[in-house]
Amino acid sequence: MMISLKEMWAAIWPSFRHKDDEHLNTYYTFHDYRQLWGMGIFVLMATALLPLVVMTFIYYQLLEQSINSESLLRTERVTSNARRAVTYFLEERLAALTFTVNEMSYDRLTNPEHLRDVLSNLKLGFGGLTDLSVIADDGTQVAYAGPFNLEGKNYSDQPWFQTCKQHGACVSEIFSGYRDVPHMVVAVKSLYPDKSPYSDGRFFILRATLETERLIQMLASYRTGEHADIFLVNHAGVLQTPSHYYTGASNRVTLSLPSYAERTHAMMALDAGGRSVVIGYAYIDTKIASTTFILMVVKERAAMMKVWLELRHQINWFLAVSAIIIAVVMTLTSTYMVKKIFHADHEKARTMLMAEQNCQLASIGQLAAGVAHEINNPLALINETAGYVKDLFLIEERYKDDTEMVEHIDSIIDAVERCGTITRQLLGFARHFDVQVQSVNLKRMVDDVLSFHKKEAEYRNIAFHVDIPNSIPLIETDRGKLQQIILNLVNNAFQAIDNGCFLKVWAETDEDEQVRIFIRDNGCGISKDHLSKIFEPFFTTKKEGKGTGLGLSITYGLVQKLHGNITVQSQTGEGTTFMVTLPVHMEKEVQS
């Protein structure tokens, strides 16, 4: 079964008030059901969604802290491993040079052939050396073995020479020097032998040039991930090995240099582009010589958290879908519950209104009964007196032939009988009379009722159209009540039509032994908002003072007493049709 869009919208956004219910407002327990509905949705959604959101937020915080801690730990571990590798690389070569100067005499080291053999052995044993040279204490290179033509060069003004002269060993920064090629130097200082003519406190330096490419490759082996970077800088921030992402002007690193620490550390920071990064750093020092190197391992935090971010994205989608489902369910639930409460309250309000109207009707009935009782006494006296006067007139010979006087007295007696009928109807409004079932000729009864309005119809130029076929059988019903029903409907029609309009009355039967009586006018009609309330007591569309609102209500009650039904069809400006359906044969034992 397909559900229309209007029904779906009504299930989500209900209407708790209608214009035709405004007369019930004072009887409602709650006066603002839309506010109650909104509060219900808010409370239900807050109860369901708030713990979910809070727990998700706490989960995010704990997971992010855990990932940050793990990122720092892993970065620190990589930095520590790389630091040990660089330190061992430098210490190993410094130790080889120290062993060489301690085991070989100055004369052998200054022998070019022998120096080349030493270089060859060092390359085979340790690798990573480019050349080897011996430098006198005045900075002059006295022996050289290697691919460059550097014999006789003086290094007295080089920083590494001064450092080695002062501290006995050094590891230089990466520089170009005489060969115009980036390289780094490791050197150790040694005194001349005691028997040497230079043994009076003079010294020489054994220097080796290291292959920077091998150092760079070694650092690259510790680079993890596409967005990770590892490099060496000096204390001034100048890059000693290439950086993939953090090379700035004058070959300086674009990150802030960390403060000195003896051991390896890792921290969170922001790079020049404002991206969050994890930085691991270590100051490089060997047991033989200190250096100016700072090892830095930098990892982009977003790249490290990529898996977590993808998981969080999925969790966010799940949370959003869950929130939507919960919101829809809570909205439907709140709507259903509040609508049930509203309908119950609506029925209670209608019941209270009917009870109040019944009390009013009871009061009016008691008043009508009292008035009818008080009027019946003088009417009885007038009736008896008029009958007595008529008898006297008929006895007296002089009045016996005065037909006009007798007619006047008969008119008085007829008027008294009519007043008696009216008082009986008033008493019937206050208490139930038994239904007096008798055979009724419907066509004749309608003609009798319309005869009361003949003069008014002629005056207002209102046309009567009566179409009751002779095939309509006699109806076994209460004549007085049926006459009252037709009279009330005709009166109501006359009040609704203007001069020159028409009133049509017709009848028909069906196979269920029922007769349907139609009374149609082409008057002002009844609006749709009022159709559902026209049979309610005291409801009237007439101007104030023009109607009591009891006519159609009493008519409805009379039809029910006759085991019938009454319906109405009307359109504003086109007219109104009342249809009264009655059984052709009403059982006599049924009491009203």
Side-chain angles (χ1 to χ4, degrees):
M1 183 178 180
M2 297 297 292
I3 300 177
S4 65
L5 185 61
K6 185 177 181 181
E7 291 174 339
M8 292 178 61
W9 178 251
I12 298 175
W13 191 266
S15 177
F16 297 111
R17 282 289 188 272
H18 303 283
K19 290 182 179 179
D20 54 356
D21 292 335
E22 292 179 355
H23 62 291
L24 300 176
N25 287 348
T26 55
Y27 301 98
Y28 282 117
T29 302
F30 302 101
H31 296 284
D32 193 347
Y33 273 92
R34 189 161 298 282
Q35 182 181 8
L36 181 65
W37 172 68
M39 287 297 298
I41 293 176
F42 174 78
V43 171
L44 289 175
M45 290 182 64
T47 304
L49 291 179
L50 188 59
L52 181 62
V53 173
V54 171
M55 291 303 297
T56 303
F57 177 76
I58 294 174
Y59 171 74
Y60 281 174
Q61 293 296 316
L62 292 177
L63 189 58
E64 187 170 359
Q65 290 177 7
S66 176
I67 291 176
N68 288 339
S69 177
E70 182 68 16
S71 299
L72 291 171
L73 181 61
R74 290 188 177 185
T75 304
E76 185 175 344
R77 187 177 303 155
V78 171
T79 306
S80 179
N81 293 337
R83 175 188 186 179
R84 283 195 295 268
V86 172
T87 303
Y88 180 75
F89 177 81
L90 296 176
E91 284 184 344
E92 188 179 42
R93 282 138 189 86
L94 284 171
L97 293 184
T98 302
F99 176 80
T100 300
V101 296
N102 289 336
E103 294 296 323
M104 294 185 182
S105 64
Y106 176 77
D107 294 335
R108 292 183 64 185
L109 289 175
T110 55
N111 186 314
E113 293 294 333
H114 187 69
L115 188 60
R116 282 194 292 270
D117 292 338
V118 173
L119 177 61
S120 179
N121 291 331
L122 289 175
K123 285 183 177 182
L124 291 174
F126 301 99
L129 280 75
T130 303
D131 56 18
L132 191 64
S133 60
V134 179
I135 301 171
D137 55 2
D138 60 355
T140 302
Q141 187 167 253
V142 296
Y144 175 78
F148 298 98
N149 184 19
L150 299 175
E151 289 83 355
K153 294 293 184 179
N154 189 282
Y155 296 99
S156 60
D157 59 345
Q158 295 295 318
W160 63 265
F161 180 83
Q162 298 296 330
T163 301
C164 187
K165 178 180 176 181
Q166 183 178 358
H167 298 286
C170 76
V171 177
S172 73
E173 297 179 0
I174 296 177
F175 65 103
S176 295
Y178 291 122
R179 64 194 70 191
D180 202 23
V181 175
H183 61 285
M184 64 182 299
V185 169
V186 291
V188 295
K189 173 184 172 184
S190 180
L191 297 176
Y192 286 103
D194 293 338
K195 297 180 180 181
S196 171
Y198 306 106
S199 60
D200 53 346
R202 298 182 64 186
F203 65 90
F204 68 94
I205 294 175
L206 180 63
R207 186 198 77 163
T209 303
L210 304 184
E211 296 175 359
T212 57
E213 188 63 29
R214 184 165 181 175
L215 180 61
I216 293 171
Q217 291 177 356
M218 181 181 64
L219 290 176
S221 67
Y222 289 92
R223 182 170 176 257
T224 58
E226 181 181 354
H227 297 279
D229 204 353
I230 182 169
F231 49 86
L232 292 172
V233 296
N234 63 13
H235 292 180
V238 178
L239 285 166
Q240 302 298 298
T241 59
S243 169
H244 290 275
Y245 305 109
Y246 303 102
T247 303
S250 303
N251 201 36
R252 292 181 178 273
V253 69
T254 56
L255 298 169
S256 300
L257 294 180
S259 57
Y260 176 78
E262 292 184 359
R263 59 180 300 273
T264 305
H265 279 289
M267 63 180 182
M268 296 285 183
L270 296 177
D271 63 11
R275 293 182 296 271
S276 179
V277 293
V278 182
I279 300 177
Y281 68 94
Y283 280 74
I284 305 297
D285 281 315
T286 69
K287 296 178 181 179
I288 301 174
S290 61
T291 75
T292 61
F293 294 148
I294 304 175
L295 174 65
M296 297 185 70
V297 178
V298 185
K299 295 183 179 181
E300 189 175 340
R301 183 168 173 267
M304 297 179 67
M305 299 180 67
K306 183 177 180 181
V307 176
W308 149 239
L309 292 175
E310 291 177 354
L311 176 61
R312 188 172 70 175
H313 182 71
Q314 295 176 358
I315 293 175
N316 289 340
W317 268 109
F318 176 78
L319 181 63
V321 173
S322 300
I324 292 173
I325 293 175
I326 290 174
V328 171
V329 171
M330 293 304 176
T331 300
L332 294 176
T333 302
S334 180
T335 301
Y336 177 80
M337 294 172 62
V338 176
K339 284 177 71 174
K340 285 292 184 182
I341 296 173
F342 170 72
H343 289 315
D345 200 13
H346 180 74
E347 291 302 318
K348 183 208 73 173
R350 291 185 61 183
T351 303
M352 291 182 65
L353 178 62
M354 291 178 63
E356 182 177 336
Q357 292 173 348
N358 289 337
C359 290
Q360 294 176 350
L361 287 174
S363 300
I364 294 175
Q366 292 176 0
L367 177 62
V371 172
H373 179 72
E374 294 297 327
I375 292 177
N376 271 338
N377 293 331
L379 285 178
L381 179 61
I382 294 173
N383 187 49
E384 292 178 2
T385 303
Y388 177 70
V389 171
K390 181 179 179 181
D391 292 340
L392 290 178
F393 281 5
L394 292 178
I395 294 172
E396 292 287 338
E397 293 294 335
R398 57 177 177 171
Y399 297 115
K400 187 175 182 179
D401 296 330
D402 192 347
T403 58
E404 184 177 357
M405 183 65 70
V406 173
E407 286 179 359
H408 287 312
I409 295 174
D410 288 338
S411 297
I412 293 173
I413 295 173
D414 291 339
V416 169
E417 289 181 356
R418 186 172 180 183
C419 289
T421 301
I422 294 172
T423 56
R424 283 196 299 274
Q425 290 178 351
L426 286 174
L427 289 172
F429 186 73
R431 65 178 184 270
H432 296 294
F433 281 130
D434 294 338
V435 176
Q436 303 296 326
V437 179
Q438 55 185 311
S439 297
V440 177
N441 186 312
L442 181 61
K443 179 177 177 59
R444 186 177 302 168
M445 175 176 288
V446 171
D447 291 338
D448 290 343
V449 171
L450 293 179
S451 65
F452 291 121
H453 297 276
K454 185 175 181 181
K455 293 294 183 181
E456 182 180 358
E458 292 177 356
Y459 175 75
R460 297 176 57 189
N461 192 25
I462 295 175
F464 286 151
H465 300 283
V466 180
D467 183 13
I468 299 178
N470 294 326
S471 59
I472 299 293
L474 296 178
I475 303 174
E476 295 181 1
T477 187
D478 187 302
R479 178 183 181 86
K481 290 181 174 56
L482 179 57
Q483 186 177 23
Q484 181 75 29
I485 291 169
I486 297 175
L487 181 62
N488 286 350
L489 294 177
V490 171
N491 286 337
N492 193 70
F494 263 77
Q495 295 173 4
I497 58 180
D498 297 327
N499 296 347
C501 294
F502 71 87
L503 176 68
K504 182 176 181 180
V505 182
W506 74 97
E508 59 185 33
T509 58
D510 57 19
E511 297 177 355
D512 297 329
E513 293 190 349
Q514 289 183 328
V515 61
R516 290 193 291 269
I517 306 169
F518 299 88
I519 300 177
R520 170 172 173 73
D521 64 73
N522 62 341
C524 60
I526 305 171
S527 66
K528 292 182 178 180
D529 295 336
H530 295 156
L531 274 178
S532 61
K533 299 185 292 184
I534 59 172
F535 294 117
E536 294 181 4
F538 306 106
F539 176 80
T540 179
T541 59
K542 300 180 180 66
K543 295 181 179 179
E544 186 175 358
K546 297 295 184 180
T548 62
L550 292 173
L552 289 178
S553 177
I554 294 175
T555 301
Y556 182 85
L558 292 174
V559 172
Q560 295 295 317
K561 289 179 181 180
L562 299 183
H563 279 201
N565 184 34
I566 182 170
T567 59
V568 60
Q569 294 181 349
S570 182
Q571 289 188 0
T572 304
E574 296 185 8
T576 303
T577 301
F578 284 92
M579 183 181 72
V580 179
T581 304
L582 297 172
V584 176
H585 304 287
M586 190 173 69
E587 298 180 3
K588 295 184 179 181
E589 68 270 19
V590 176
Q591 299 299 316
S592 172

